Amino acid sequence: MVVALHEMIADRLRDQIHRGELPLGAAVPSESKLCEQWNASRGPVRQALATLRAEGLIAGGRGKPPVVCSSSMGQPFDTLLSYSAWAQSIGRTPGQHTLELALRRADDAVAAELGVDEGAPVVQVLRLRLLDGEPTMLERATYTEPVGRRLFDFDCDSGSIWAYLLSQGVQFNTASHVIDAVAADPVDAQQLAVAEGSPLLRQRRRTYGVDGGIIEYHDDRYIPGLVSFTLENTLDARCALVRNANV
């Protein structure tokens, strides 16, 4: 696959920001310097800088030199089903340490999230997720028993649970996400090495199978400043045509 020049420039600058080579407040290389470095015209350079502005990584423009304003790593919604896939997509090394894998009876809260009867068997996983060896997120996952029981034959420290379940024939179809902030509880604080009560970025997710039934429920808590979430919306062309026709 051929990668466009503006994407290559944006990828390189993004990597420099994430790795601290361009720290917060640092000036981004000028358009002329980037043109010289990449042997490029101003078009691709300006497109790359516009991409980073849209991601919230840099600020400036209209005569003001761009500077780094954030180092958080955006997590697109199309990779939210797999932390490992997301990390690898941005050139980082994912990791995990499994703290708990257990078969339990669903309490009323779990039963409501998974759409099962209270007391039904479920499988729960607690994992500390790493990025380049550093704690980044505490993952709490609950699976319906027919899906989750497969994890007892899998080394959850070895890699992506999502990829493993796919290999076992589990068919993920759709997911709903809620993003909010939550105060770190004692488990969060201990595992993520933050003070109890510190704000964490939380992603709650229900994932559905092809039959419409819920497969899993996640409550994942990230250290803010390390990860952000990005969402792209596309206006359906057919809807646009209908709206234009009715104007």
Side-chain angles (χ1 to χ4, degrees):
M1 181 180 67
V2 177
V3 179
L5 180 56
H6 70 88
E7 294 179 350
M8 295 173 61
I9 298 171
D11 286 345
R12 175 57 181 153
L13 290 172
R14 189 183 296 110
D15 185 65
Q16 288 178 304
I17 292 170
H18 291 163
R19 294 186 181 278
E21 297 174 19
L22 287 172
L24 290 176
V28 177
S30 65
E31 287 185 8
S32 58
K33 187 172 182 179
L34 288 170
C35 288
E36 180 181 353
Q37 177 184 344
W38 290 89
N39 191 26
S41 65
R42 289 188 180 270
V45 168
R46 288 175 177 171
Q47 193 170 356
L49 294 176
T51 296
L52 298 183
R53 287 191 187 94
E55 294 175 3
L57 293 177
I58 67 173
R62 296 183 180 179
K64 297 181 180 180
V67 297
V68 177
C69 63
S70 174
S71 59
S72 64
M73 291 160 285
Q75 184 168 2
F77 271 71
D78 60 0
T79 61
L80 275 181
L81 292 184
S82 174
Y83 177 93
S84 296
W86 162 71
Q88 291 163 356
S89 74
I90 60 171
R92 309 300 287 272
T93 302
Q96 50 278 321
H97 176 55
T98 304
L99 305 170
E100 184 179 64
L101 172 62
L103 177 67
R104 292 195 172 95
R105 297 290 178 181
D107 60 20
D108 56 349
V110 168
E113 295 294 354
L114 285 181
V116 298
D117 294 332
E118 186 174 350
V122 297
V123 175
Q124 295 187 310
V125 182
L126 179 65
R127 291 199 299 176
L128 178 64
R129 305 309 301 269
L130 311 173
L131 198 63
D132 292 341
E134 295 297 323
T136 302
M137 181 262 280
L138 192 63
E139 175 186 68
R140 292 174 171 88
T142 303
Y143 299 86
T144 56
E145 190 272 338
V147 172
R149 65 185 177 191
R150 303 164 192 257
L151 299 181
F152 291 99
D153 296 321
F154 176 63
D155 179 3
C156 294
D157 280 353
S158 67
S160 171
I161 287 177
W162 180 76
Y164 172 73
L165 291 177
L166 280 178
S167 74
Q168 295 299 301
V170 177
Q171 295 180 301
F172 298 95
N173 188 44
T174 60
S176 61
H177 307 266
V178 176
I179 310 297
D180 62 3
V182 65
D185 66 19
V187 176
D188 299 326
Q190 179 182 7
Q191 297 301 326
L192 294 173
V194 299
E196 189 172 340
S198 297
L200 298 175
L201 186 60
R202 178 171 65 173
Q203 181 228 161
R204 288 175 288 169
R205 180 182 84 234
R206 286 195 190 100
T207 308
Y208 301 81
V210 292
D211 62 354
I214 301 172
I215 292 176
E216 62 173 0
Y217 171 72
H218 270 247
D219 181 323
D220 298 337
R221 303 181 182 193
Y222 296 79
I223 298 176
L226 293 181
V227 174
S228 62
F229 296 93
T230 61
L231 175 63
E232 294 184 4
N233 293 315
T234 301
L235 180 65
D236 190 300
R238 291 169 298 177
C239 293
L241 289 172
V242 170
R243 289 173 184 169
N244 288 339
N246 292 331
V247 171

